[in-house]
Amino acid sequence: MAASDDYYDYYLLQRFGPFEAVYHYYLNWSGRFVSHFFAFCLNPLQLGERIGPAITGLIGICMLWFTALQVSKVIQRVYHVSLNSWSMGVILGAFWLCYLPYPSEIIYWFTGMIAYQPGVAMIALWSVLHFKKEKSKILQIIYFVLPFLIGGTNEVNVFIM
């Protein structure tokens, strides 16, 4: 179900629109420009109180599995692991689901998920792109843009990057 921050974000979105709401958050609460833009544009309450959180919960679960798969590709590349990346991704994702300290806040609570997961997923994707030998023009653009998006997601992600 939607939590208190989701309702406040929805209120700001309805009152100011996405850009003014992000500007308000950026100056008054946190410098997470990219995360707040995602939070306002994808706010689950725009789809109703039942279906919206269900869809965004699914997005959170998919983002966790995407990150696990990307991290497994990086581990495979760096450590020359013979296990294929899909198997390793399933193992890593299952481990994360079992041992996350607060999975409801990181995966199922929309505001928490959107504040923490996109940056980590983008770092994992950037790392995979970094190891690619041949990059098409579109991948080169994504590789160049991702650090700027990552910088706007979470302070911790800037240090990780």
Side-chain angles (χ1 to χ4, degrees), residues 6 21 24 28-29 50 52 69-70 72 77 92 113 134 140:
D6 300 330
H24 170 78
N28 294 303
W29 188 67
R50 296 268 183 211
L69 180 61
Q70 300 309 308
S72 71
R77 172 77 176 179
L92 188 58
M113 176 264 291
E134 298 286 325
Q140 288 176 356

Side-chain angles (χ1 to χ4, degrees), residues 119-120 123 147 150-161:
V120 176
I123 289 171
I150 292 163
T153 57
N154 191 314
E155 307 81 33
V156 175
N157 291 333
V158 175
F159 293 113
I160 293 171
M161 186 66 183

Side-chain angles (χ1 to χ4, degrees), residues 102-123:
Y102 300 104
S104 62
E105 289 187 14
I106 297 171
I107 299 172
Y108 303 111
W109 173 44
F110 175 72
T111 304
M113 176 264 291
I114 215 70
Y116 301 112
Q117 280 203 71
V120 176
M122 286 188 275
I123 289 171

Side-chain angles (χ1 to χ4, degrees), residues 4-17 21 25 39-40 43-48:
S4 60
D5 288 353
D6 300 330
Y7 285 98
Y8 183 66
D9 292 350
Y10 183 74
Y11 163 75
L12 287 178
L13 180 66
Q14 297 304 309
R15 183 170 177 204
F16 298 121
Y25 253 61
F40 288 117
N43 190 289
L45 294 172
Q46 295 181 88
L47 300 172

Side-chain angles (χ1 to χ4, degrees), residues 63-75 92 96 117-131 146 150 157 160-161:
M63 205 177 328
L64 181 93
W65 287 107
F66 172 81
T67 305
L69 180 61
Q70 300 309 308
V71 169
S72 71
K73 289 177 183 178
V74 172
I75 290 170
L92 188 58
W96 288 348
Q117 280 203 71
V120 176
M122 286 188 275
I123 289 171
L125 177 60
W126 184 89
S127 301
V128 168
L129 292 177
H130 180 72
F131 288 117
L146 277 176
I150 292 163
N157 291 333
I160 293 171
M161 186 66 183

